[in-house]
Amino acid sequence: MISLTIRRIEPDQRDRLERWLREVDGPRRQEALATLADEGVMHEKAVILDTSDGPILIYAMESADLEYARAVAQRSEHAIDAEHREVMQAAVAGRPDIAVVLDLRSGDAASQS
């Protein structure tokens, strides 16, 4: 299953958030991959979109069990996870208004018949 999270970013936290995500994807990549393994996450991707209304974080995660992945991440004792929670808490400024216009999954037609 894929989880897509879209959040506004506090403008004064945009650069800090970008530096953090680049650090996670760079020098701390192996540490981050170890946490993904613990969580059962197969893929994680984040992008920052600069808009006229301020920066937006788009965060995608793929896991067979998203609830399990979130629970493991919340109670994780990995230093990188604690730092990630702290940076994200400081950066996130709420949810933008969005409209989900497509959400297809293989097998949906069979389950709705």
Side-chain angles (χ1 to χ4, degrees):
M1 179 169 284
I2 296 172
S3 168
L4 183 64
T5 304
I6 303 168
R7 297 290 184 265
R8 293 188 183 284
I9 301 170
E10 296 286 356
D12 65 337
Q13 293 292 315
R14 188 225 183 274
D15 291 341
R16 178 184 182 206
L17 178 61
E18 182 175 352
R19 280 191 311 273
W20 169 250
L21 294 172
R22 289 188 187 282
E23 181 178 333
V24 170
D25 196 34
R28 296 184 73 179
R29 186 176 180 83
Q30 292 306 311
E31 189 179 352
L33 291 171
T35 69
L36 292 187
D38 289 351
E39 298 163 5
V41 172
M42 287 98 64
H43 191 182
E44 194 170 84
K45 189 171 207 167
V47 298
I48 296 174
L49 175 66
D50 291 306
T51 74
S52 60
D53 292 330
I56 301 283
L57 174 67
I58 302 169
Y59 209 102
M61 181 175 71
E62 180 183 8
S63 175
D65 187 340
L66 291 171
E67 294 306 315
Y68 174 81
R70 288 183 180 125
V72 171
Q74 279 302 110
R75 67 175 185 267
S76 171
E77 294 182 10
H78 289 279
I80 196 168
D81 286 331
E83 291 173 63
H84 187 72
R85 287 188 294 269
E86 189 266 321
V87 170
M88 295 300 288
Q89 184 174 12
V92 170
R95 295 179 178 176
D97 292 329
I98 63 167
V100 176
V101 295
L102 181 69
D103 186 6
L104 299 175
R105 284 177 228 147
S106 176
D108 273 356
S111 64
Q112 292 183 9
S113 300

